Amino acid sequence: MKQRILLSLMAAALVLQNGVYRDKAPGYGGDVIVKAIVRGGKLTEITTENTGGEKSEYYQKAEEELIPRILEKQGIDGLDTVAGATGTSESILIAMRGIMEQARYDGKTVK
């Protein structure tokens, strides 16, 4: 029980370093590029781009449902893919995993 509470506190204390972050993951017909903006230590904006050109209805469904959930949770832990848009959802989540790794602030100064 104590360990679970400690892990919850550690997750709540996650601080993201301010900046603009990008990562990509393979998608249908091209890469899915995700851009996230962190301000005040929190995710404030997420956009995606499909290098294959047009965004299909499945792509749009994944964006419309998944991005607000990521912003609300301030991360991707525990998020599932969007039904009917599994492939694009997975691409967005993979790219977001990379972004979260880039943005994590560990208190160390980078020289």
Side-chain angles (χ1 to χ4, degrees), residues 70-81:
I70 295 169
L71 290 170
E72 181 181 333
K73 279 192 73 123
Q74 289 296 298
I76 59 169
D77 292 341
L79 288 182
D80 291 325
T81 58

Side-chain angles (χ1 to χ4, degrees), residues 25-92:
Y28 293 110
D31 288 336
V32 173
I33 300 171
V34 178
K35 176 178 128 181
I37 298 174
V38 176
R39 287 192 186 107
K42 295 188 179 275
L43 287 167
T44 59
E45 184 180 335
I46 299 170
T47 57
T48 71
E49 177 186 336
N50 180 4
T51 62
E54 234 177 271
K55 294 181 179 181
S56 71
E57 66 180 277
Y58 305 107
Y59 189 104
Q60 292 172 10
K61 181 176 181 175
E63 273 186 319
E64 291 168 4
E65 293 186 29
L66 196 54
I67 290 173
R69 293 182 359 211
I70 295 169
L71 290 170
E72 181 181 333
K73 279 192 73 123
Q74 289 296 298
I76 59 169
D77 292 341
L79 288 182
D80 291 325
T81 58
V82 175
T86 305
T88 302
S89 297
E90 287 175 347
S91 297
I92 291 171

